[in-house]
Amino acid sequence: MSLPADCLFCQFVDGTLETEIVGQNEHAIAFRDINPQAPLHVLVIPREHYADVAALAGADPEALADLVGLAQEVALDEADGEYRLIFNSGPMAGQSVFHVHGHVLGGTKLGWSPA
Ligand code: 5GP
Ligand code: ZN
C-alpha cells in the first residue's frame, strides 16, 4: 500500500504533479481519469490521504459527503446529473491506487458486467 509520501493522488492534491482539475471543494478535488471508460470518467478524491472509502467514512464523514457532492456536481455539469459512482476497494475489486477515489462514470447508457 502506498504511503502518503509517494502517493500519486496526494501529489495531484499538493500540486507536485499536474492534472486537469475539473472541480473542487473544501475536502475534495475532481480530475479526469487518464484511461477513460466512458464519455464522463472523472475521479473524486479527498484532499487527505485515506486508503479506501471505509477508512474515509470512519475518520471524516464530512469529507466523504463533500466528495459525493462533488461527484454529483461534475455529473450535473457534464452528464445531466445521471452517473455511476464506484469505489473499488482492494486489489480483487480492481483498486490499484490506494488513495480513496470514486469513479464518476456517465455520458452514455452504462453496461453492467463487473465479473
Ligand atoms: P482503481 O483501479 O484504483 O479503481 O482506479 C485508479 C484509476 O486511476 C484508474 O482508472 C486509472 O486510469 C487512473 N489513473 C492512474 N494513473 C493516473 C494518472 O497518472 N492520472 C490520472 N488522471 N488518472 C490515473
Ligand atoms: Zn494519497
Side-chain angles (χ1 to χ4, degrees), residues 43-104:
L43 301 176
V44 285
I45 70 171
R47 294 180 187 274
E48 297 293 325
H49 182 98
Y50 295 99
D52 58 37
V53 67
L56 174 62
D60 194 344
E62 195 186 328
L64 177 57
D66 246 16
L67 183 148
V68 172
L70 183 57
Q72 186 180 30
E73 242 177 63
V74 170
L76 281 167
D77 282 350
E78 301 196 20
D80 296 327
E82 298 192 27
Y83 63 103
R84 186 173 294 163
L85 179 57
I86 293 175
F87 296 91
N88 295 330
S89 301
M92 283 288 282
Q95 187 175 10
S96 61
V97 177
F98 291 87
H99 180 133
V100 55
H101 48 282
H103 295 258
V104 185

Side-chain angles (χ1 to χ4, degrees), residues 10-76:
C10 280
Q11 293 178 69
F12 291 157
V13 171
D14 71 18
T16 308
L17 290 177
E18 277 191 28
T19 193
E20 187 194 347
I21 307 279
V22 297
Q24 54 186 306
N25 60 27
E26 184 184 348
H27 292 104
I29 67 168
F31 55 93
R32 295 197 193 284
D33 196 291
I34 202 170
N35 182 23
Q37 302 299 311
L40 169 62
H41 189 171
V42 160
L43 301 176
V44 285
I45 70 171
R47 294 180 187 274
E48 297 293 325
H49 182 98
Y50 295 99
D52 58 37
V53 67
L56 174 62
D60 194 344
E62 195 186 328
L64 177 57
D66 246 16
L67 183 148
V68 172
L70 183 57
Q72 186 180 30
E73 242 177 63
V74 170
L76 281 167

